[in-house]
Structure formats: structure tokens, C-alpha cells
Amino acid sequence: LASANDPDFVPIFNDQSLTLRGSPVLTWASLLFYGVWTNAPFSFVVFYAGLQTVPGDTLESAMIDGASRWERIRFVILPHLAPLATFVALVQLMDNFRVFEPIVSFNAGAHAQSLSYFIYSDLGGETRLLSSAAATSVLTIAGVILLLSPVLVRTWQSFGKGAA
């Protein structure tokens, strides 16, 4: 646990267990809040732009056919936004591979780590670990490519069907 002489010691309500270094729960809560705070605006803008492109005639047709508000959302709007949801999920997935700043800035290395933080730790001080950091970077890129490949192949196939 952190002590009162430590410059990073910030007790909340004078309780030692409520410091950022002393409480894994508080560390993860701060990282989660930071993640939502920094990523929600991008997702909001993308989905807002997607909602602007929902075809009005399709919504009107559904309304004339007697679809309730929930049915219009479920069968017209959500399928229209599905490609955007895939895009946002892929961007967030790639963004989560490079989580580094919050771990270092919150001094959360004891409770939370990421691939970027591991690479940084491997490079810290000993050059013999440079090969380990390089290998981790290459494996990260390979993992992202493997995760994105099925979605990109399916998108390319549906694009080919639409063009014909």
C-alpha cells in the first residue's frame, strides 16, 4: 500500500484502502470511467450520423403496415445500424490494444496491464529484452489481423453481391 510520504498518495476520506494504488476496485473503476469518457463521444457521433441516414420511406411503410414503435426500431433501425455497430466495435477493439496512457497516468501498473504496457516494461532498461518487445508488437498486429479478417471477408462478400 502507499504511504503518507509517497508523493502519489491520495487518500479518499482518510482511508488507506481507498487510494488508487491500494485498491484494485478503485483502479479498475477509474480505468473504466476513463475508457467510457474518452470513447463514448466517437461512438455517439457515428451512431448519430447513422440515424440520420435511416430511410424515411421505409419507416413510413412500416408505420402504415401497423408496426409499433418498438417493431420499427427492431426491424428497421437496428438492422440499418448493424454495419455501423460492427465498425465501432472493430475500432474500439483496435483502440483497446493500445491502452497505455491511463495505466501509466493512474499509476495502475500493479493492478491493470495491457499489451502496450508490457512492451513498455520490456523496453525499460535492458536492451536484451528488445527482442521480446518486438515479438510482442508483431504478435499484437497478427492478432488484430486475425480478429478483423472474418469481418472484412464477410463485408467484402456482401459488397460483391450488392454490386452485381
Side-chain angles (χ1 to χ4, degrees):
L1 290 177
S3 67
N5 295 331
D6 187 6
D8 294 325
F9 177 71
V10 182
I12 300 174
F13 303 114
N14 290 327
D15 186 0
Q16 293 284 76
S17 64
L18 291 178
T19 61
L20 209 52
R21 280 191 181 171
S23 172
V25 174
L26 188 59
T27 300
W28 280 103
S30 333
L31 290 173
L32 182 66
F33 179 77
Y34 174 82
V36 170
W37 185 264
T38 57
N39 293 323
F42 171 74
S43 300
F44 175 80
V45 168
V46 170
F47 284 119
Y48 184 71
L51 285 172
Q52 302 300 314
T53 65
V54 173
D57 56 343
T58 307
L59 280 174
E60 185 180 353
S61 299
M63 201 182 309
I64 291 171
D65 288 342
S68 67
R69 182 181 206 91
W70 170 247
E71 289 171 333
R72 283 179 279 165
I73 291 171
R74 182 174 174 208
F75 295 112
V76 177
I77 295 175
L78 288 180
H80 182 75
L81 294 179
L84 287 178
T86 304
F87 168 74
V88 168
L90 290 174
V91 168
Q92 297 301 330
L93 176 73
M94 290 186 295
D95 194 40
N96 287 333
F97 269 106
R98 62 165 197 83
V99 173
F100 177 73
E101 302 92 10
I103 293 175
V104 173
S105 62
F106 292 152
N107 290 325
H111 303 298
Q113 295 171 346
S114 69
L115 287 172
S116 298
Y117 188 76
F118 283 137
I119 293 168
Y120 170 75
S121 298
D122 283 350
L123 288 174
E126 299 193 26
T127 56
R128 64 182 170 83
L129 295 176
L130 186 61
S131 60
S132 172
T136 307
S137 299
V138 170
L139 289 175
T140 301
I141 292 170
V144 168
I145 289 171
L146 283 174
L147 289 171
L148 292 179
S149 294
V151 176
L152 293 174
V153 167
R154 188 175 56 206
T155 304
W156 182 256
Q157 289 171 349
S158 67
F159 177 74
K161 290 178 185 175

